[in-house]
């Protein structure tokens, strides 16, 4: 098929009423999930994934992408109304969003959050359309050695999602790599760590691991300490965003959108860092910088542009290279694989109609987000008041159903609870979960490409430096390691200086709550 044939077929796939319906449903689910503190976009996508198994591939993928897009924006609703970010990516929105709400201008803050989110989302989608194909054509020159060095470089992103403690992030990643080896060895067919159980020959079920790691620990934590944290929900007020305020913030929105695109295209950075970088740049360049942190609408615009600019850009490495851009796209890879689609450069040649349908659907999702988000601002703000004793049992039922439905296997449900216990232990020890997921996804790819390379070269390591592509990724890996070491040493020096001055020990404690 020619390029125009593929684009035409992509339009045909999206033009179906089911495609639009699932996209609207996904955005709605995402906004609701994002508006519930604790229900992150990651968890929402993970819980929605099992329901896509019986759908046509394009319907299921558009549903998950809609959940992803809606979840990123939805987190701004409780961030502004109750000073509780619905998702980690909305943390920067609270800085100016809640002070505006305290002044009775929550409606203005939410309007700006919606418009900035939709503009940034559209910019991010256009960047995906323009650059994913070029990157995929470049990736066709990759063989096992090139993919090995690419994945090795991608594993350095674990440092970016390890929180305050690189050591704990590495422990989490090592655990993910270890569990990824369970099952049959793909090269020789020997079994590893199955302990005589035929259920483990295919490895640990990805969905069971994912839901067990993110959803079950929250349920365990609530059962152990069932305390409700009731937020003070602010009224929307009668003040709404004016065109003049929007125009003055437009430069920060565009800047934040491109910051999100650049950081989102780098695997592992995530939306939260992009939001804070965008916010800091807006504050540095704004003539109203003194008002930032006290209720500046431009601050809300910059934060939301930064985190939403990431959403489409994280799909660039996913579609072009088959490497997840963040934890959420690592889950979406599962939907591709379940439907027999392998993200990467060859997908542009073998399933070009699906690729262009995704592109068209993503552009359409920006319009849908504007419509659904407008309704959400006035209707879904009460979601923040849903008590956890109602929410979490519902999540548990969905989790058990979703995991069981994959293979109709009670064993997989047991795996989910076992991983949930491990995840709860990580929660107590403040070990981040994101490195675990990234390592669990990339581990088999790393091992298989390494071993295939050695088989090609008959055991010679020279194959890993056979051309400019491998040298390029080796250079990036060494540069990333050098930056990580420098940042770690700098943080250690800062803690050493601050601690004797009476800084609370919490500042020097390592680790953060697992990334959501």
């Amino acid at each position: 098929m020619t390029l125009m044939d593929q684009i035409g077929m992509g339009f045909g796939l999206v033009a179906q009423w089911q495609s639009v319906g699932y996209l609207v449903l996904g955005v709605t689910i995402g906004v609701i999930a994002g508006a519930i503190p604790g229900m992150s976009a990651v968890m929402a996508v993970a819980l929605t994934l099992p329901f896509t198994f019986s759908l046509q591939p394009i319907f299921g993928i558009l549903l998950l992408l809609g959940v992803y897009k809606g979840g990123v924006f939805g987190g701004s609703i409780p961030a502004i109304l109750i000073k509780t970010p619905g998702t980690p990516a909305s943390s920067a929105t609270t800085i100016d969003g809640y002070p505006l709400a305290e002044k009775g201008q929550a409606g203005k803050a939410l309007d700006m959050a919606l418009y900035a989110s939709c503009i940034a989302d559209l910019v991010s989608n256009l960047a995906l359309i323009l650059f994913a194909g070029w990157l995929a054509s470049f990736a066709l020159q990759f063989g096992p050695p090139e993919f090995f060095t690419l994945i090795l470089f991608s594993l350095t992103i674990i440092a970016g999602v390890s929180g305050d403690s690189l050591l704990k992030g590495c422990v989490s990643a090592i655990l993910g790599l270890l569990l990824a080896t369970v099952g049959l060895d793909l090269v020789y067919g020997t079994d590893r760590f199955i302990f005589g159980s035929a259920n483990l020959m295919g490895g640990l079920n990805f969905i069971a691991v994912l839901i067990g790691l993110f959803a079950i620990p929250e349920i365990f934590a609530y059962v152990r300490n069932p305390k409700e944290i009731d937020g003070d929900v602010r009224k929307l007020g009668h003040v709404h965003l004016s065109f003049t305020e929007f125009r003055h913030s437009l430069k920060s929105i565009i800047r934040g959108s491109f910051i999100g695109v650049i950081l989102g295209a780098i695997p592992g950075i995530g939306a939260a860092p992009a939001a804070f970088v965008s916010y800091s740049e807006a504050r540095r360049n704004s003539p109203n910088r003194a008002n930032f942190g006290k209720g500046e609408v431009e601050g809300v615009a910059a934060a939301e542009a930064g985190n939403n600019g990431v959403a489409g850009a994280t799909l660039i490495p996913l579609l072009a290279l088959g490497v997840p851009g963040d934890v959420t796209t690592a889950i979406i890879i599962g939907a591709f694989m379940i439907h027999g689609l392998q993200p990467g450069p060859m997908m542009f040649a073998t399933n070009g109609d699906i690729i262009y349908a995704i592109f068209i659907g993503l552009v359409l999702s920006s319009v849908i987000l504007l419509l659904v988000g407008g309704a959400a601002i006035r209707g879904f703000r009460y979601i923040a008041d849903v008590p956890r004793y109602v929410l979490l049992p519902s999540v548990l039922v969905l989790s058990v159903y979703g995991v069981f439905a994959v293979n109709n296997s009670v064993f997989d449900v047991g795996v989910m609870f076992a991983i949930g216990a491990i995840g709860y232990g990580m929660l107590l020890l403040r070990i981040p979960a994101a490195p675990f997921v990234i390592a669990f996804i990339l581990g088999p790819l790393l091992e298989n490409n390494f071993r295939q390379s050695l088989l090609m070269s008959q055991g010679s390591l020279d194959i890993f430096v056979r051309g400019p592509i491998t040298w390029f990724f080796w250079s990036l890996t060494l540069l990333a390691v050098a930056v990580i070491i420098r940042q770690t040493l700098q943080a250690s020096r800062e803690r050493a200086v601050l601690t004797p001055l009476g800084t609370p020990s919490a500042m020097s404690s390592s680790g953060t709550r697992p990334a959501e």
Side-chain angles (χ1 to χ4, degrees):
M1 290 187 295
T2 64
L3 176 62
M4 294 307 299
D5 290 335
Q6 292 179 334
I7 294 175
M9 292 184 67
F11 267 111
L13 289 173
V14 178
Q16 303 176 75
W17 69 266
Q18 297 99 321
S19 296
V20 178
Y22 281 118
L23 198 53
V24 172
L25 177 62
V27 172
T28 304
I29 292 172
V31 172
I32 294 174
I36 302 174
M39 273 290 290
S40 66
V42 176
M43 190 185 299
V45 172
L47 292 173
T48 307
L49 179 58
F51 294 93
T52 66
F53 297 162
S54 60
L55 301 177
Q56 292 183 27
I58 188 60
F59 297 162
I61 293 169
L62 289 178
L63 175 62
L64 292 177
L65 291 176
V67 174
Y68 180 27
K69 299 281 186 175
V72 177
F73 161 71
S76 66
I77 297 176
I80 292 170
L81 295 177
I82 63 173
K83 204 180 180 180
T84 303
T87 62
S90 301
S91 300
T93 307
T94 63
I95 300 174
D96 281 292
Y98 189 70
L100 281 168
E102 288 184 309
K103 298 176 182 178
Q105 300 177 13
K108 178 190 293 188
L110 287 169
D111 286 344
M112 178 55 84
L114 176 62
Y115 299 147
S117 296
C118 293
I119 292 173
D121 187 58
L122 181 60
V123 171
S124 188
N125 293 335
L126 293 177
L128 168 67
I129 295 170
L130 292 174
F131 297 117
W134 172 82
L135 191 57
S137 63
F138 169 70
L140 288 174
Q141 304 174 39
F142 282 39
E146 286 77 16
F147 273 113
F148 169 76
T149 53
L150 166 63
I151 296 165
L152 187 66
F153 165 64
S154 298
L155 284 175
T156 63
I157 66 180
I158 287 171
V161 292
S162 295
D164 295 334
S165 174
L166 180 59
L167 177 61
K168 289 186 177 181
C170 290
V171 169
S172 178
I174 290 171
L175 183 59
L177 288 171
L178 179 63
L179 293 184
T181 62
V182 174
L184 295 180
D185 170 15
L186 294 180
V187 176
Y188 293 109
T190 55
D191 58 75
R192 300 184 297 191
F193 305 114
I194 68 170
F195 304 104
S197 173
N199 291 305
L200 289 174
M201 292 181 68
L204 295 176
N205 183 285
F206 174 73
I207 306 301
V209 170
L210 200 70
I211 294 179
L213 194 63
F214 286 103
I216 303 303
E218 296 292 337
I219 297 172
F220 286 168
Y222 177 74
V223 170
R224 182 168 180 259
N225 188 22
K227 291 183 178 179
E228 287 293 329
I229 302 176
D230 296 319
D232 181 17
V233 180
R234 298 289 174 175
K235 303 300 181 183
L236 293 182
H238 300 290
V239 180
H240 292 280
L241 186 70
S242 67
F243 179 75
T244 301
E245 290 171 320
F246 173 78
R247 183 168 55 84
H248 287 162
S249 301
L250 188 58
K251 183 182 294 185
S252 291
I253 293 174
I254 300 300
R255 184 195 304 114
S257 301
F258 283 104
I259 288 174
V261 167
I262 294 170
L263 295 183
I266 302 173
I269 297 296
F276 280 102
V277 171
S278 175
Y279 181 85
S280 64
E281 283 298 303
R283 181 175 183 175
R284 187 171 65 86
N285 291 283
S286 174
N288 300 324
R289 64 176 66 91
N291 197 40
F292 274 63
K294 302 174 184 177
E296 174 56 49
V297 71
E298 187 178 355
V300 175
E304 285 299 301
N307 62 38
N308 282 271
V310 168
T314 54
L315 296 172
I316 294 176
L318 169 66
L319 294 178
L321 303 174
V323 174
D326 62 0
V327 181
T328 310
T329 49
I331 302 170
I332 294 175
I333 279 184
F336 279 88
M337 293 180 174
I338 287 167
H339 290 291
L341 302 172
Q342 179 59 55
M346 288 305 298
M347 189 173 174
F348 282 78
T350 58
N351 299 101
D353 55 338
I354 298 289
I355 293 288
Y356 290 106
I358 291 172
F359 289 166
I360 297 165
L362 287 173
V363 174
L364 182 60
S365 72
S366 299
V367 179
I368 294 173
L369 178 60
L370 180 64
L371 300 176
V372 173
I377 288 175
R378 285 142 187 91
F380 294 158
R381 63 193 181 95
Y382 300 106
I383 294 296
D385 284 341
V386 174
R388 286 183 178 267
Y389 62 78
V390 173
L391 172 65
L392 292 180
S394 304
V395 171
L396 179 61
V397 171
L398 288 173
S399 299
V400 173
Y401 167 77
V403 171
F404 179 80
V406 178
N407 297 314
N408 292 331
S409 171
V410 176
F411 181 82
D412 287 345
V413 177
V415 170
M416 178 190 73
F417 282 109
I419 297 296
I422 294 174
Y424 181 61
M426 294 169 63
L427 185 71
L428 294 178
L429 296 173
R430 307 182 78 82
I431 296 175
F436 180 104
V437 174
I438 293 172
F440 188 80
I441 294 293
L442 296 181
L445 298 173
L446 182 77
E447 178 191 4
N448 293 336
N449 282 288
F450 177 74
R451 297 176 69 180
Q452 288 174 18
S453 299
L454 291 181
L455 288 173
M456 290 169 58
S457 66
Q458 298 181 343
S460 173
L461 296 177
D462 293 343
I463 194 170
F464 295 112
V465 289
R466 71 176 186 178
I469 297 178
T470 57
W471 278 109
F472 174 72
F473 285 116
W474 279 119
S475 301
L476 289 180
T477 303
L478 293 175
L479 179 62
V481 170
V483 171
I484 292 167
I485 293 174
R486 179 183 176 185
Q487 291 177 341
T488 303
L489 293 176
Q490 183 178 356
S492 299
R493 286 194 296 267
E494 290 176 354
R495 284 195 294 266
V497 171
L498 291 173
T499 302
L501 297 177
T503 301
S505 58
M507 286 190 64
S508 60
S509 63
S510 59
T512 60
R513 183 184 181 84
E516 297 184 79

